[in-house]
Amino acid sequence: MIKSSLSFVLFLCFLLSCNPTSESKTEQSKKNPLPDSSTAKLSPPDSTKTAESNSITANTDNIFNNITSVLCGEKGKANNLNYLFDTIAWAQHAKFIDSSWSRLERKRLVSMQKWGRKEFEKANTTSKMVFYPFSGPDYLTANAFFPNADKYIMLGLEPVGKLPDLKKFKAGDAKDYSDDFKKSLGDIFDKSYFITRKMLNDFQSQKVNGLLPVLAFFIKKSGNEILNIKYLIRRKDSISEIAYDHKDNEHKPFGVRIDFLQEGKQKSVFYFKYDVSNKQFNDTTVFYKYLNKQTTNCITYIKSASYLLHANFMSNMKSMILKNSDAVVQDDTGIPFKYFEEGKKFNIKLYGEYSKPVSDFPYLSLQKPLQEAFHKDSLKVGKLPFHLGYHWGTKKDVIIYAQKK
């Protein structure tokens, strides 16, 4: 049982993002409900340049894809924005992104992709929906492990924001934006996770507006084409989509939907800015009802989550995950291990090496059930060919793979 003092400390970490290593961690009328990604139709293309697959005619020459191509440093792929690469600022930006991405692939990403597709083959086959709470903009890791998903639902505390209007940049703006954008990517490149407190501060003090530019960057840089972006708003009793260039000043977006083309198939990422502690997230709230329906039979992925699900004030989220998930893939910062053993409802596979929480969490100790499981099944514990999470310094990483029986 979590002590009340611990719950209070964790609650402050979540709401105020005071913890230096917190993982960025949610009315359309009844006649027009929020469409599922598998049935949503794209707006008619405004260009003759299209890609066709599975009876979908998808416009890839659109403002969202073009802007993100510039942010990704993809010279020659930004269509009417290709001229920007002739400038010093964006040419240097492209060079930095290219070298940083190549280093990321060598150090971690390629190994994650190969390993994850083998180890999580069953989960990838049985479920096409990934739920990633406390994610921030980290589509990169979710896609590396679960590339077969059609829909990813992510949530955190970072504001949604907007893509930069590159055509309106004045002298010096491009360099300033590039510098701030590269700064936003620093922790995920070096440590494999985003630091919530830092990102919240960055988004308030620099030119990068919210999480959307970084999220779109990871979707595009993973080899996809962005098709459309819409915002999501809450009304009294429903969640609905509105256009990216909406004029609705009454309802501020709390989420975003990005449709993209992956190997000829349309897929979607949803990100929500939402406090999922019990007071705001319970069976009387609109977002709880929405998320409870959307995450049925999903794969839940949890990484670098500040141990929030160990606290009593996150019990509603923890219960939803355990009830709705066909599989849970997480490190030790996710749901306490004892809940996977209760009732023997999950087949469990352990990977890596378990150690106590990093020094940023001095009020937490080893999980004895998890420690005992590693000791008991030491010969069956799999090795990790990469490093991922808070233990990037010691390289003592843990992955728990719980597949519902």
Side-chain angles (χ1 to χ4, degrees):
M1 195 69 160
I2 303 296
K3 295 181 179 179
S4 60
S5 59
L6 171 57
S7 295
F8 180 70
V9 172
L10 286 170
F11 184 60
L12 289 179
C13 290
F14 178 67
L15 294 183
L16 303 179
S17 300
C18 61
N19 195 311
T21 54
S22 294
E23 165 69 3
S24 47
K25 315 301 135 220
T26 152
E27 149 189 285
Q28 188 169 353
S29 69
K30 295 180 180 178
K31 295 180 180 179
N32 187 23
L34 181 65
D36 182 84
S37 63
S38 63
T39 60
K41 300 296 184 181
L42 295 175
S43 301
D46 55 10
S47 168
T48 56
K49 181 177 180 180
T50 61
E52 296 188 9
S53 178
N54 298 331
S55 300
I56 293 176
T57 301
N59 172 34
T60 60
D61 182 4
N62 61 74
I63 188 62
F64 311 118
N65 203 39
N66 295 343
I67 290 175
T68 309
S69 294
V70 176
L71 297 182
C72 290
E74 297 183 350
K75 298 178 65 175
K77 297 183 180 180
N79 298 299
N80 66 345
L81 296 180
N82 281 329
Y83 72 93
L84 292 174
F85 290 109
D86 294 331
T87 65
I88 294 176
W90 289 117
Q92 292 178 340
H93 177 90
K95 184 176 180 180
F96 171 85
I97 293 298
D98 184 61
S99 61
S100 297
W101 193 263
S102 296
R103 184 172 67 252
L104 175 65
E105 288 182 321
R106 292 194 305 271
K107 289 176 58 178
R108 186 166 71 244
L109 189 56
V110 172
S111 295
M112 287 173 57
Q113 292 169 337
K114 292 181 178 179
W115 181 87
R117 292 172 190 187
K118 177 183 177 182
E119 297 297 324
F120 307 140
E121 181 180 7
K122 183 176 180 180
N124 273 314
T125 301
T126 59
S127 181
K128 299 299 181 183
M129 218 293 291
V130 172
F131 177 46
Y132 187 178
F134 318 112
S135 64
D138 184 28
Y139 164 82
L140 179 69
T141 308
N143 179 68
F145 283 158
F146 314 111
N148 295 342
D150 294 332
K151 180 191 291 185
Y152 301 80
I153 295 182
M154 304 163 59
L155 61 89
L157 291 178
E158 294 80 5
V160 177
K162 295 184 73 67
L163 295 177
D165 191 345
L166 301 180
K167 289 184 176 181
K168 293 184 178 180
F169 275 15
K170 299 177 182 178
D173 286 350
K175 183 182 184 305
D176 290 343
Y177 192 96
S178 173
D179 289 344
D180 286 345
F181 187 77
K182 289 183 287 188
K183 181 180 177 183
S184 297
L185 296 172
D187 286 314
I188 194 72
F189 279 159
D190 297 333
K191 301 177 182 179
S192 79
Y193 60 91
F194 290 99
I195 299 176
T196 302
R197 181 182 59 82
K198 284 179 61 177
M199 293 203 75
L200 286 172
N201 180 69
D202 288 347
F203 291 153
Q204 293 174 1
S205 61
Q206 65 181 20
K207 290 186 176 296
V208 178
N209 184 350
L211 162 148
L212 180 56
V214 179
L215 177 57
F217 169 87
F218 282 125
I219 293 173
K220 175 71 173 175
K221 197 65 180 173
S222 297
N224 307 314
E225 302 287 345
I226 294 178
L227 304 176
N228 202 3
I229 297 179
K230 292 182 179 180
Y231 286 120
L232 297 145
I233 60 174
R234 282 172 293 165
R235 292 199 169 103
K236 184 178 180 180
D237 58 0
S238 64
I239 295 171
S240 59
E241 297 179 356
I242 56 176
Y244 180 83
D245 57 353
H246 71 284
K247 305 299 181 182
D248 186 348
N249 295 322
E250 180 182 354
H251 300 91
K252 185 177 180 180
F254 85 118
V256 65
R257 170 179 176 164
I258 305 176
D259 293 325
F260 61 95
L261 199 66
Q262 183 182 78
E263 297 180 353
K265 186 174 185 179
Q266 182 186 326
K267 301 186 176 188
S268 299
V269 167
F270 293 75
Y271 169 82
F272 296 94
K273 177 186 183 297
Y274 197 89
D275 172 2
V276 290
S277 55
N278 290 351
K279 186 176 181 180
Q280 288 77 25
F281 189 72
N282 55 68
D283 58 11
T284 68
T285 60
V286 173
F287 188 62
Y288 178 96
K289 295 173 182 177
Y290 166 81
L291 202 58
N292 187 44
K293 181 178 180 181
Q294 293 294 319
T295 58
T296 301
N297 304 124
C298 70
I299 301 169
T300 295
Y301 178 56
I302 310 168
K303 173 180 68 67
S304 306
S306 295
Y307 301 90
L308 291 168
L309 292 167
H310 288 231
N312 291 333
F313 63 81
M314 284 287 179
S315 61
N316 291 340
M317 174 55 71
K318 178 189 68 184
S319 297
M320 180 182 289
I321 291 171
L322 291 171
K323 176 174 66 77
N324 288 358
S325 303
D326 280 352
V328 178
V329 177
Q330 64 166 48
D331 61 15
D332 63 306
T333 71
I335 294 173
F337 184 73
K338 64 181 181 180
Y339 291 100
F340 295 111
E341 292 187 311
E342 289 181 354
K344 297 182 180 180
K345 297 179 180 179
F346 292 89
N347 292 315
I348 301 169
K349 174 69 176 177
L350 302 175
Y351 304 89
E353 182 179 356
Y354 181 51
S355 62
K356 66 179 182 179
V358 293
S359 60
D360 297 301
F361 303 90
Y363 42 84
L364 292 173
S365 57
L366 284 165
Q367 298 181 56
K368 289 186 179 179
L370 183 55
Q371 185 181 31
E372 291 171 358
F374 265 87
H375 179 72
K376 179 182 178 181
D377 299 328
S378 59
L379 296 179
K380 297 180 181 179
V381 173
K383 294 184 178 181
L384 293 173
F386 51 83
H387 299 291
L388 195 67
Y390 288 160
H391 294 279
W392 60 274
T394 63
K395 313 303 184 187
K396 294 182 179 181
D397 311 293
V398 169
I399 288 182
I400 301 163
Y401 177 26
Q403 182 83 37
K404 191 167 286 183
K405 295 181 180 178

